[in-house]
Amino acid sequence: MSIKFELLKKSKECQARLGKISTTHGEIETPIFMPVGTQATVKTMSPTELESIGAQIILSNTYHLYLRPGHELVKEAGGLHTFMNWKRPILTDSGGFQVFSLAQLREISDEGVTFRSHLDGSKHVFSPEKSMEIQMALGSDIAMAFDECAPYPCSYEDAKKAMERTTKWAERCLKYHDHPYQVVFGIVQGSIYKDLRIQSAKDITSLDFPGYGIGGLSVGEPKPVMYEVLEEMMPFLPENKPRYLMGVGSPDCLIEGVLRGVDMFDCVLPTRIARNGTVLTSRGKLVIRNAQYARDFSPLDPECDCYACKNFTRAYIRHLLKADEVLGIRLTTIHNLSYLINLMAKIRQAIREDRLLDFAQEFYEKYNS
């Protein structure tokens, strides 16, 4: 096994944990937020810039890289790390979420999923074995098992069927996977049904993966429901392995996830809203495109020391966005990712000092102001 997880400290106040994941391409301090580089690039950011803001690991997308440029081409280039010149760890998702989001373009069976490309309508089949084949060719440090993500809302019967299929597919992923340094994380499903989540956790952990993803949350259900599901299922995930809440990245959800024992997060939120002119700050979201910032010569966030905040004003960045200048979305992206990466560093320090609950209270008082 070419991954090692060390549980360095458990909070005295809650379920939060401080940890370290060691991989072939470096170490990752947890809890961690992972920027999403869907198509082998975090939009508008160079690898050097990602390193400079403290990104320890990034995520890339199996489905998109399979369609374009193709996993065989990436393998020929020397793998994803060489292809995109990123020397730190990479996690690849299984492609399952993207395939299942193509509701009108796919058919599911126990064998796998037949779908049509969103690019040109061409027909493709993803199975657990195919997902593993693609991810092994990409050469990420952490690959995710192919799973079925049930939509929200869905019936108990549909959620149960997807959960059971996810377990069968996880077994096939493990059987097929063979890579010198890449490891596979299993994924817990079960929608919002607590008994299904617990059963899925028991089934998936019995397969002894080196880490576990929590899928099918943050797909439209109310946040309190997500938190309740996490609280119910967490006792059934082993303490000595990392826990990854997939697709979650708003500041409040990061804090709430950490409080409940989550170690890893990812989301397109910070980069997506940055391209729409919205920034995350210590006092909540700002839609920097709005007219009220036209003559605001303060930084995006006075408490942030990122490149954008140290060098430019809200008025200037608003001007760039209104003028459709690429620098505008580069600066909002740099800021949003810096903000979340710095937030996770502060969370880790608060766990270290046994003051996470106080930190969370202070955060909310300011963030909601």
Side-chain angles (χ1 to χ4, degrees):
M1 186 182 296
S2 53
I3 188 172
K4 179 183 177 184
F5 176 67
E6 296 176 69
L7 183 57
L8 303 177
K9 181 181 175 67
K10 291 166 62 178
S11 171
K12 296 177 181 177
E13 307 175 299
C14 57
Q15 300 303 308
R17 303 131 54 87
L18 200 64
K20 182 174 72 175
I21 302 172
S22 301
T23 76
T24 301
H25 289 94
E27 295 182 344
I28 306 156
E29 293 180 296
T30 63
I32 188 72
F33 175 79
M34 304 180 286
V36 177
T38 300
Q39 307 199 68
T41 176
V42 177
K43 284 184 171 57
T44 80
M45 298 280 285
S46 72
T48 302
E49 288 169 329
L50 287 166
E51 289 179 11
S52 72
I53 66 171
Q56 301 179 54
I57 174 174
I58 62 173
L59 181 144
S60 282
N61 185 271
T62 296
Y63 166 83
H64 287 283
L65 294 175
Y66 161 75
L67 291 179
R68 183 176 56 193
H71 59 291
E72 293 295 350
L73 186 148
V74 175
K75 183 178 181 179
E76 186 181 335
L80 204 48
H81 290 88
T82 304
F83 188 53
M84 65 184 295
N85 194 30
W86 175 252
K87 297 175 175 62
R88 296 181 180 181
I90 297 175
L91 182 149
T92 46
D93 60 17
S94 69
F97 180 80
Q98 284 69 33
V99 167
F100 292 113
S101 67
L102 300 170
Q104 307 304 315
L105 300 172
R106 47 88 169 153
E107 296 176 3
I108 308 172
S109 69
D110 287 342
E111 183 54 33
V113 185
T114 303
F115 65 95
R116 293 196 176 275
S117 164
H118 72 287
L119 296 175
D120 59 12
S122 56
K123 192 174 181 180
H124 304 269
V125 178
F126 260 28
S127 64
E129 293 78 12
K130 187 67 177 180
S131 178
M132 292 297 98
E133 175 195 327
I134 298 166
Q135 292 184 80
M136 285 191 287
L138 296 176
S140 56
D141 298 270
I142 301 171
M144 300 304 297
F146 193 57
D147 63 323
E148 181 176 349
C149 180
Y152 176 84
C154 71
S155 68
Y156 183 91
E157 290 71 23
D158 286 345
K160 187 172 187 288
K161 189 173 182 180
M163 179 208 77
E164 291 171 344
R165 185 174 277 149
T166 291
T167 301
K168 292 175 183 174
W169 284 356
E171 294 170 349
R172 286 166 57 185
C173 285
L174 279 177
K175 186 175 181 180
Y176 186 87
H177 186 266
D178 179 22
H179 191 281
Y181 66 76
Q182 183 185 73
V183 297
V184 182
F185 280 16
I187 301 178
V188 177
Q189 287 289 352
S191 187
I192 62 169
Y193 303 102
K194 295 172 184 176
D195 62 325
L196 295 183
R197 284 283 172 181
I198 292 170
Q199 186 60 53
S200 180
K202 290 178 178 179
D203 293 343
I204 295 296
T205 56
S206 73
L207 299 175
D208 198 26
F209 286 95
Y212 298 97
I214 302 162
L217 291 177
S218 192
V219 291
E221 79 282 1
K223 289 180 181 179
V225 172
M226 177 173 73
Y227 302 151
E228 288 175 16
V229 170
L230 285 175
E231 288 168 8
E232 289 290 331
M233 64 175 288
M234 278 303 190
F236 298 92
L237 295 180
E239 278 196 344
N240 64 340
K241 294 182 180 180
R243 305 159 176 174
Y244 162 31
L245 181 54
M246 306 174 74
V248 170
S250 64
D252 55 334
C253 287
L254 294 180
I255 288 177
E256 296 299 326
V258 170
L259 287 170
R260 290 162 175 80
V262 176
D263 306 302
M264 304 166 69
F265 304 84
D266 84 284
C267 194
V268 297
L269 172 87
T271 49
R272 179 174 288 167
I273 66 172
R275 297 193 298 278
N276 294 326
T278 300
V279 293
L280 302 166
T281 79
S282 55
R283 296 194 176 274
K285 290 180 185 176
L286 299 182
V287 183
I288 215 70
R289 282 180 163 274
N290 288 352
Q292 71 192 87
Y293 302 112
R295 287 179 169 79
D296 188 337
F297 303 111
S298 61
L300 294 175
D301 186 349
E303 297 184 24
C304 178
D305 65 353
C306 76
Y307 174 76
C309 289
K310 284 195 297 186
N311 293 282
F312 305 102
T313 65
R314 294 174 178 181
Y316 177 65
I317 294 173
R318 178 183 183 271
H319 154 68
L320 294 176
L321 294 169
K322 298 295 284 186
D324 289 328
E325 288 289 345
V326 173
L327 180 59
I329 61 173
R330 278 179 39 73
L331 293 175
T332 53
T333 301
I334 287 169
H335 168 75
N336 280 352
L337 289 177
S338 298
Y339 173 83
L340 289 185
I341 288 169
N342 288 335
L343 174 62
M344 299 309 289
K346 292 174 182 175
I347 288 173
R348 290 195 297 271
Q349 189 61 27
I351 297 171
R352 207 171 279 120
E353 298 172 358
D354 288 313
R355 55 176 184 85
L356 183 59
L357 294 184
D358 286 342
F359 174 86
Q361 183 177 343
E362 293 164 9
F363 168 85
Y364 280 122
E365 287 172 359
K366 198 180 293 184
Y367 192 76
N368 294 329
S369 66

